[in-house]
Amino acid sequence: MTTTRTPINRGRKLRITPEILEAYKRARKLYDTSKIDEWGLLSDQCRAACGYLHVLLGRTACDLDIFDTIGCEAEGRSWNEKPEQFADALAVRRELERLA
């Protein structure tokens, strides 16, 4: 039997643990110091650290990576395809930077 009920879209409440904070510090350090290869990719170690942080934050594969927001707000750009995902990722990254 099908239903016509619409799911409630409530914002996720983020609980930042010391483990998440340490993972962010490590990933951010690798992100800032990692060299970009000829394909435009960061190092494997940096991508692994960013992926681990993504999992710890409880973000899905469809969610924007928080490191994709770096440099965008300074230039006035935004994520045109899904602005709500961009705003969510930016808020998470700013909160982590504030605590770090």
Side-chain angles (χ1 to χ4, degrees):
M1 178 180 246
T2 60
T3 182
T4 58
R5 293 172 39 188
T6 307
I8 298 172
N9 187 13
R10 291 190 178 112
R12 289 180 288 194
K13 182 118 178 162
L14 179 64
R15 295 188 68 195
I16 298 177
T17 63
E19 181 183 15
I20 291 174
L21 198 55
E22 288 303 314
Y24 173 75
K25 289 177 186 177
R26 183 174 188 275
R28 182 61 195 245
K29 182 179 177 184
L30 287 169
Y31 183 86
D32 290 338
T33 60
S34 181
K35 293 184 180 178
I36 298 174
D37 66 4
E38 65 271 7
W39 301 100
L41 299 174
L42 296 167
S43 69
D44 292 336
Q45 188 179 18
C46 178
R47 285 185 286 156
C50 292
Y52 179 65
L53 177 63
H54 199 78
V55 169
L56 283 178
L57 290 170
R59 301 177 67 78
T60 64
C62 298
D63 291 335
L64 182 67
D65 187 15
I66 64 169
F67 291 109
D68 289 342
T69 62
I70 294 176
C72 292
E73 72 273 5
E75 299 172 9
R77 294 185 299 152
S78 66
W79 195 259
N80 292 330
E81 295 175 13
K82 297 188 179 182
E84 64 278 351
Q85 278 190 2
F86 179 83
D88 180 49
L90 184 62
V92 170
R93 184 178 60 84
R94 284 182 176 167
E95 180 65 18
L96 286 168
E97 284 179 352
R98 185 183 70 77
L99 293 172

